[in-house]
Amino acid sequence: MMLRSGLCGGHTITSSTFCFITSEKIHHLKNKNTFFFFLSIDPIEIHKRKLLLWFSHLPQEEKQFGGFFSPETMHVDPLILETDAEERAGLLGSPFQTQTHCNRSVTVEQLFQHTDTWSDGRGLNVLIYGAVGTGKSTVVRKLVLDWCAGTTLSHFQLLIPFSCEDLSQLSKVTSLRDLVSRKYLHLKKHPLLSGEGKQAKDVLFLFNGMEKMQLDFRIGASELCSDPNEGLPPSVVVVNLLRKYLLPEASILITTRLSALNCIPQKYVTRYAQIRGFNDPSRQRAYFTSRLLKQSDTAHNQEAQDLVELLYLNLQRESQLAAACFLPSYCWLTCATLHFLRFTNTKAPIRTLTGIYTSFLRLNFGGEVLGTGAGTDMPIQEHQSSLMLYVVRTVGKLAFEGVTYKRTSFSEAELEQWIGGKTKTDEELHQLAMFRTDVLDFFLAPSIESGKSISQDLRENNEKQYVFAVPAMQEYLAALYVVLGENKSALEKLTKKVSVAIGQASEDVNALVNIFSKLIPLRIFAVFNLLKLFPKLYEKISSLNKGSIARTMAAELFHTEDSYNEDVLDQVEQNLVGVHGPQQQQYSERQPFELYPIFMGGLLHYGNRVLLQQLGCSIQSTTVAQITHAIRKYLVRELNKPQPPEELMDLLVLLYEFQNPRLTAEVVTSIRAIRLTNIRMTSLKCFILSSVLSCTPASYYLEELDLSSCLLNNDTLQMLCPAFRHTYNLNLQFNTLGPEFCSLLRDLLLDPRSVIRSLKLCDNPLMESGVQILVEALPENQSLTNLSLMHTGLGDEGVLDLAKRLQQHRRLQELNVAYNNIGDDAALLLVDACREHPSIQTVHLYLNPLSKVAKQSLYARGVPRSHSGQRVKVLASVTEGTDLSENWRPILNVIRENSSSWDQQHVIQQLKVFLEDLEWGRQQQQSLWKRLHFRRVEKGVRKILKIFTGPAT
């Protein structure tokens, strides 16, 4: 954790000081003793409470999880190994390796136990190092909090943490005591820092991120100093502390990256230790449990437990995820992604998948720089560059090539080609060495599974393959590489350079043209005009490039061969928790990269661009405007073609990631129907659908919103209520919705903004109690014309209640209550009520246990009593009396489509009743043509019967 100087300023006695005074002390506070009372406050107690406040503060990225946990409950100790010189010489290789050294595992407190090799009276210098993402800052944070609580390193009276990034920004000379008081004013002139006697033995200095300081231990560059009051450059103060020339009794804890391990001479370090992250699945499981279980509310506790179990099973299979989660940072990313996928709700802050990955990189690379190896006489800002930008230009380039050629694994030679590049200067080679040591293993890991994208030649040569630690990271970096414009053509790079140069001198060019236009020859004058037009040429080429980016986004999103894949959010989840059970057949051998265009869209969002700007990666507003303008027409063009439900869901995710209401409205208004049949509609997908449709104008309505077989529940339906108000025809079939759902639907139908004309609730166990609640909305609803309650457990009581309410709703035209175990009397009463209704035209009653007499009576009652009434079509069987029903084909189609989900015995029984009706009707016919027609329908019924009973029927 980095401490900014602004956090520690103030006066000796401020308003904040009062928060540390207990009520008992205030009770005894007298006016005449006020001054002496404040003088008696222990500065160390103030220091502990302020540190506790500062280090307990959660970064913005943590707040997205909600307020269900604290820093203490979510911490899991990473593996820390004490190392010797031989191991440090090899830098211990990759943090992903599985080798463990449990016998040498230590805690930070054990590292400060005095050894025989260190002189008495001198403090210990402990150096902890590790690659990016192994947990150095987390260990420091937990150490400070535990010291404040008195649970660790309690033999040190005073712990003083410093951020080396802050120290590197200080240009003025300052003494040690002034340096401390600058950060911690309450410690000004504290006797432990006076240098007198051996009081400093109770002091522990903590320097986090030592690689960000340029330390020079040469005597000529860093003069010796033993006076804590003498002003020196901050780097010289730190050097003298490490030399034990300044406050030799004080102990020091240093954290640094691997590449900076040798910046401090070995003779000045007592003990070395390396942070290895989570070396076994048990630590990873403890982390997931603390994140997913303790932060979830009671309603989702069981779901969180199941999720942790699925994760643990995936880790035990030695999957690629297990290799990635050796780094605690990837455990954080896994938990953040799963929390986003599984526990999104309307009360949580708006989050996007792109935002999670951008936040992840900001947490790990915020403020991180890559030095060029320049001399220490130069200001540090002049020879350091953004580490994240270097990642994009190297690893991002590799990711982009992989996406372009549909590959996920790379050989060592390819890594050398794309990341090592061609011959470089000494500074570039130094940067490359630091990058490979500190960062490369953060993004790439040895491949555990032989992916389909590995070529046969590589398999035969047994060449070691590397993959991205998390598959989605490849697509994110490839998208960032493109959006930042790093894949420019040679012509565009040339025109940009010329354009910038001429743009900077445009005023001079104009002045020269104005002065010499009358003196120079016409041909030379034309050259000046060409130079003036060059920026416009670059702008034109750049605009074409942005159009190319937009075309790429649309093309990658709507790949025909990816149409049968899971939707992109399910793919992300399967990559994390694995696929349990039979896997879906893949219709394409090519690796799908459907997140790639979605990340490209998400990176254009303002919030993500702000975070990337902090990382040194700038996306210009003009670039965003050009890409957004171009993508609009491509998306609209693709949406004019029929899209599978999975591809349509991916489009909704893309629009959500954009977080651009205007673009979303313009694209969605070109859609007339959203059919998401068989999509597993999680809370996140429901939230996305609702959010996207909320961007449309109030006058926009979908012709159809099909959410059949989407595993909806009461919680997800509440999220979808805003979306339901934008549709005329709502299909919620096959979702196992219970009676409790009907209250929500009743309120929706009573909403004056609702325009639902057709409502399909087939195959949902609404039962009699649920339907009774639902029909309460009929008297006041003015839009519903088609209500389908087929196979909802209606029963006779539910039908009777429905019949009573029908006259109070004047617009209903079609009512489907088929397959509801309705008896003769209830069916006759319902048809009588429909016959008296002014608008009902059709009633579906097939697959109910009706007698032949009742069916004949129902058909006769469909005829109106008066000339002013209208005929009600009653569909009780494939026959109507002695004739075939006009709707025999739709009835059989409904049965065929639901053959796998309906009760087989009941359907078989009803199909046999159909055969009896057909046989009786055929015998009544005199016409041979009509008999043949009956035979044709009978053949269709027997064909469906075979689906249930087998070929023997």
Side-chain angles (χ1 to χ4, degrees):
M1 177 175 177
M2 296 181 292
L3 292 178
R4 302 294 180 185
S5 57
L7 291 175
C8 305
H11 302 284
T12 304
I13 301 177
T14 64
S15 59
S16 62
T17 308
F18 285 91
C19 66
F20 304 128
I21 306 174
T22 62
S23 58
E24 292 79 8
K25 290 183 179 180
I26 293 177
H27 179 73
H28 294 291
L29 185 62
K30 305 298 182 181
N31 290 336
K32 62 181 180 179
N33 295 326
T34 301
F35 178 73
F36 298 102
F37 170 76
F38 280 109
L39 288 180
S40 65
I41 299 177
D42 185 4
I44 293 182
E45 283 302 313
I46 297 176
H47 183 62
K48 286 184 177 181
R49 290 172 182 176
K50 286 193 173 183
L51 285 183
L52 187 64
L53 178 65
W54 296 331
F55 280 81
S56 297
H57 176 74
L58 294 175
Q60 191 66 34
E61 287 80 2
E62 297 287 8
K63 295 178 182 178
Q64 64 183 319
F65 293 103
F68 297 104
F69 62 90
S70 62
E72 293 78 15
T73 59
M74 67 184 181
H75 179 78
V76 177
D77 290 322
L79 177 67
I80 302 177
L81 300 178
E82 187 172 5
T83 59
D84 53 31
E86 182 179 349
E87 290 171 317
R88 293 193 302 275
L91 291 176
L92 287 173
S94 167
F96 292 105
Q97 68 184 65
T98 58
Q99 182 182 3
T100 60
H101 303 268
C102 297
N103 58 319
R104 295 161 53 199
S105 175
V106 294
T107 64
V108 177
E109 188 167 21
Q110 290 172 342
L111 291 172
F112 282 95
Q113 295 175 353
H114 282 269
T115 62
D116 297 336
T117 59
W118 196 250
S119 303
D120 293 335
R122 299 178 66 185
L124 303 180
N125 290 350
V126 175
L127 191 150
I128 297 180
Y129 62 96
V132 174
T134 50
K136 300 186 295 297
S137 296
T138 305
V139 168
V140 167
R141 177 184 180 184
K142 186 64 165 56
L143 175 67
V144 173
L145 292 176
D146 288 347
W147 177 81
C148 293
T151 58
T152 189
L153 296 176
S154 55
H155 56 283
F156 291 111
Q157 293 186 34
L158 185 59
L159 187 151
I160 306 177
F162 282 102
S163 163
C164 292
E165 181 182 6
D166 284 349
L167 295 179
S168 68
Q169 304 299 320
L170 300 179
S171 57
K172 297 181 180 180
V173 297
T174 182
S175 66
L176 174 62
R177 301 194 72 172
D178 288 341
L179 194 63
V180 172
S181 63
R182 178 188 180 95
K183 301 290 181 181
Y184 310 100
L185 190 58
H186 47 273
L187 297 179
K188 187 174 184 179
K189 298 182 180 179
H190 197 283
L192 291 179
L193 303 174
S194 64
E196 298 176 0
K198 294 186 178 181
Q199 295 185 83
K201 66 181 177 59
D202 296 324
V203 178
L204 173 63
F205 289 98
L206 194 161
F207 295 99
N208 188 30
M210 186 61 75
E211 72 278 354
K212 295 172 185 175
M213 293 190 71
Q214 296 292 326
L215 301 183
D216 193 339
F217 284 83
R218 295 175 299 175
I219 297 296
S222 301
E223 60 182 287
L224 297 176
C225 174
S226 60
D227 184 1
N229 298 302
E230 182 178 348
L232 294 170
S235 61
V236 178
V237 173
V238 175
V239 166
N240 278 285
L241 282 172
L242 291 170
R243 284 172 173 164
K244 295 303 177 187
Y245 206 78
L246 180 61
L247 298 186
E249 300 83 10
S251 295
I252 302 174
L253 175 62
I254 309 147
T255 68
T256 188
R257 295 201 305 237
L258 286 170
S259 61
L261 184 60
N262 296 323
C263 291
I264 302 176
Q266 185 175 341
K267 63 181 179 179
Y268 296 129
V269 180
T270 317
R271 304 175 86 165
Y272 290 88
Q274 184 183 23
I275 296 183
R276 286 293 195 88
F278 299 150
N279 66 316
D280 59 79
S282 61
R283 291 178 190 262
Q284 298 165 3
R285 182 176 187 175
Y287 186 93
F288 295 141
T289 301
S290 67
R291 285 280 179 169
L292 296 174
L293 270 182
K294 294 182 181 180
Q295 71 187 10
S296 61
D297 52 19
T298 306
H300 295 98
N301 191 55
Q302 185 58 48
E303 183 180 359
Q305 289 181 357
D306 296 340
L307 193 58
V308 171
E309 289 301 320
L310 290 175
L311 270 173
Y312 187 60
L313 288 175
N314 198 21
L315 295 173
Q316 286 182 316
R317 290 185 298 188
E318 296 185 354
S319 62
Q320 200 66 50
L321 177 67
C325 286
F326 270 79
L327 293 178
S329 291
Y330 277 104
C331 290
W332 182 93
L333 180 61
T334 299
C335 290
T337 305
L338 287 175
H339 191 273
F340 170 69
L341 293 173
R342 289 290 190 96
F343 304 117
T344 294
N345 57 66
T346 54
K347 298 179 182 179
I350 297 295
R351 293 173 296 161
T352 63
L353 191 61
T354 313
I356 288 175
Y357 273 76
T358 306
S359 298
F360 169 72
L361 294 177
R362 195 188 79 89
L363 280 174
N364 287 280
F365 296 97
E368 295 287 346
V369 294
L370 196 62
T372 61
T376 56
D377 56 330
M378 295 176 58
I380 191 169
Q381 296 87 348
E382 295 185 11
H383 55 86
Q384 291 184 335
S385 58
S386 165
L387 179 56
M388 191 62 229
L389 188 57
Y390 192 89
V391 168
V392 174
R393 291 172 175 172
T394 53
V395 183
K397 184 178 182 180
L398 177 71
F400 174 72
E401 291 297 323
V403 170
T404 302
Y405 297 103
K406 307 300 178 186
R407 296 184 52 202
T408 58
S409 62
F410 310 91
S411 66
E412 292 183 349
E414 289 170 327
L415 294 186
E416 177 65 30
Q417 175 187 354
W418 295 112
I419 296 177
K422 301 178 180 179
T423 305
K424 300 177 180 292
T425 63
D426 291 342
E427 290 78 9
E428 290 174 331
L429 289 174
H430 180 76
Q431 280 188 330
L432 179 61
M434 293 175 62
F435 178 77
R436 287 184 169 181
T437 302
D438 294 333
V439 182
L440 189 57
D441 285 333
F442 181 84
F443 292 102
L444 295 167
S447 176
I448 293 177
E449 301 174 356
S450 298
K452 292 183 179 180
S453 56
I454 300 177
S455 65
Q456 186 65 31
D457 293 338
L458 294 178
R459 293 175 187 171
E460 293 176 354
N461 296 333
N462 292 323
E463 189 170 358
K464 193 173 184 179
Q465 296 291 304
Y466 293 85
V467 297
F468 281 82
V470 173
M473 184 59 72
Q474 178 179 355
E475 298 178 72
Y476 178 90
L477 290 177
L480 185 57
Y481 180 79
V482 173
V483 173
L484 286 176
E486 294 297 329
N487 64 325
K488 297 184 182 73
S489 64
L491 175 60
E492 189 175 1
K493 290 179 180 179
L494 174 63
T495 52
K496 181 178 181 180
K497 291 179 180 179
V498 177
S499 176
V500 170
I502 295 177
Q504 292 173 347
S506 59
E507 295 183 1
D508 297 334
V509 172
N510 288 330
L512 288 174
V513 171
N514 292 332
I515 294 172
F516 294 109
S517 59
K518 297 181 180 180
L519 303 177
I520 59 178
L522 183 61
R523 294 180 180 178
I524 301 178
F525 180 71
V527 174
F528 279 90
N529 286 331
L530 179 61
L531 292 175
K532 292 174 65 178
L533 291 173
F534 219 106
K536 295 183 178 180
L537 175 62
Y538 166 70
E539 183 180 350
K540 181 66 176 178
I541 296 174
S542 179
S543 177
L544 292 174
N545 182 62
K546 304 306 182 295
S548 175
I549 293 176
R551 285 194 302 273
T552 300
M553 293 173 64
E556 291 290 340
L557 189 67
F558 296 107
H559 266 314
T560 304
E561 58 269 29
D562 295 340
S563 299
Y564 298 96
N565 294 332
E566 300 282 352
D567 65 83
V568 67
L569 294 179
D570 280 353
Q571 291 179 39
V572 173
E573 184 171 330
Q574 289 174 5
N575 284 333
L576 296 178
V577 300
V579 179
H580 303 272
Q583 298 188 25
Q584 183 178 3
Q585 180 182 357
Q586 294 294 328
Y587 291 83
S588 172
E589 294 185 357
R590 298 201 321 163
Q591 174 68 30
F593 288 100
E594 294 175 272
L595 265 179
Y596 171 53
I598 292 173
F599 278 142
M600 290 172 69
L603 288 169
L604 301 181
H605 174 49
Y606 177 75
N608 290 321
R609 287 191 285 128
V610 170
L611 293 179
L612 289 170
Q613 182 70 41
Q614 298 173 11
L615 291 170
C617 302
S618 178
I619 302 175
Q620 301 299 325
S621 298
T622 53
T623 301
V624 176
Q626 289 174 340
I627 296 177
T628 303
H629 177 74
I631 189 61
R632 183 185 300 111
K633 63 178 181 181
Y634 290 111
L635 290 179
V636 171
R637 185 182 65 186
E638 291 292 337
L639 287 172
N640 289 329
K641 309 172 186 176
Q643 298 294 339
E646 292 80 9
E647 296 298 305
L648 196 55
M649 188 68 238
D650 291 348
L651 169 70
L652 296 174
V653 175
L654 171 65
L655 294 175
Y656 175 76
E657 292 285 324
F658 258 112
Q659 290 292 302
N660 186 329
R662 182 176 179 180
L663 170 68
T664 299
E666 292 177 354
V667 173
V668 173
T669 50
S670 66
I671 303 175
R672 306 314 306 166
I674 294 180
R675 300 182 178 91
L676 299 175
T677 307
N678 295 319
I679 295 293
R680 185 174 63 98
M681 291 298 290
T682 61
S683 59
L684 172 61
K685 295 175 189 175
C686 293
F687 183 75
I688 289 174
L689 175 59
S690 184
S691 298
V692 168
L693 288 178
S694 67
C695 297
T696 58
S699 59
Y700 168 74
Y701 296 102
L702 285 167
E703 286 296 329
E704 181 183 6
L705 177 58
D706 187 350
L707 296 174
S708 57
S709 302
C710 288
L711 302 178
L712 296 174
N713 56 44
N714 198 51
D715 292 337
T716 53
L717 282 170
Q718 288 182 351
M719 289 186 180
L720 289 170
C721 278
F724 294 160
R725 298 189 185 100
H726 284 271
T727 182
Y728 290 127
N729 302 299
L730 179 59
N731 187 344
L732 297 175
Q733 301 179 120
F734 307 104
N735 278 298
T736 63
L737 300 172
E740 65 280 359
F741 156 73
C742 292
S743 298
L744 187 150
L745 193 56
R746 175 198 59 195
D747 296 339
L748 177 66
L749 292 175
L750 290 173
D751 190 334
R753 295 170 293 177
S754 175
V755 294
I756 296 176
R757 298 171 182 169
S758 173
L759 179 60
K760 297 181 180 179
L761 298 172
C762 310
D763 285 87
N764 289 298
L766 304 180
M767 313 307 292
E768 295 176 5
S769 59
V771 175
Q772 288 174 356
I773 296 173
L774 178 63
V775 296
E776 293 175 3
L778 292 181
E780 297 184 32
N781 179 268
Q782 300 298 320
S783 62
L784 195 63
T785 61
N786 188 322
L787 178 62
S788 178
L789 297 172
M790 181 174 63
H791 196 208
T792 55
L794 199 57
D796 288 346
E797 293 297 326
V799 168
L800 293 176
D801 193 65
L802 178 61
K804 294 176 184 178
R805 300 273 188 172
L806 282 180
Q807 294 303 323
Q808 299 173 342
H809 184 78
R810 314 301 292 176
R811 302 194 61 180
L812 198 64
Q813 297 176 9
E814 185 171 355
L815 177 64
N816 188 341
V817 290
Y819 195 179
N820 270 300
N821 198 30
I822 300 172
D824 293 351
D825 294 339
L828 291 170
L829 285 172
L830 177 64
V831 172
D832 286 342
C834 292
R835 183 172 54 177
E836 300 299 327
H837 195 277
S839 59
I840 291 182
Q841 301 172 4
T842 307
V843 180
H844 299 255
L845 281 165
Y846 44 88
L847 296 181
N848 284 303
L850 303 175
S851 65
K852 291 183 179 179
V853 175
K855 291 178 183 178
Q856 294 295 330
S857 179
L858 289 173
Y859 176 70
R861 294 192 184 198
V863 179
R865 294 179 179 178
S866 62
H867 295 289
S868 60
Q870 63 176 355
R871 183 180 185 275
V872 178
K873 186 185 299 184
V874 181
L875 306 181
S877 178
V878 292
T879 61
E880 293 181 359
T882 58
D883 294 326
L884 284 172
S885 170
E886 296 177 359
N887 300 90
W888 67 267
R889 187 175 284 105
I891 293 175
L892 295 183
N893 286 338
V894 168
I895 298 174
R896 184 184 298 107
E897 291 170 0
N898 297 280
S899 60
S900 60
S901 59
W902 283 352
D903 178 41
Q904 291 191 3
Q905 294 302 320
H906 178 80
V907 176
I908 290 172
Q909 180 182 357
Q910 292 299 312
L911 288 174
K912 290 180 177 179
V913 172
F914 284 177
L915 291 175
E916 293 175 1
D917 293 343
L918 288 168
E919 184 177 357
W920 181 82
R922 176 167 46 84
Q923 293 173 356
Q924 309 303 314
Q925 302 301 321
Q926 301 297 323
S927 169
L928 178 62
W929 177 255
K930 286 189 175 181
R931 287 185 179 184
L932 291 175
H933 198 183
F934 268 84
R935 288 284 189 185
R936 177 188 173 191
V937 178
E938 184 178 343
K939 183 178 179 181
V941 174
R942 292 187 182 280
K943 186 175 181 180
I944 297 176
L945 191 60
K946 288 181 181 180
I947 299 176
F948 292 93
T949 61
T953 303

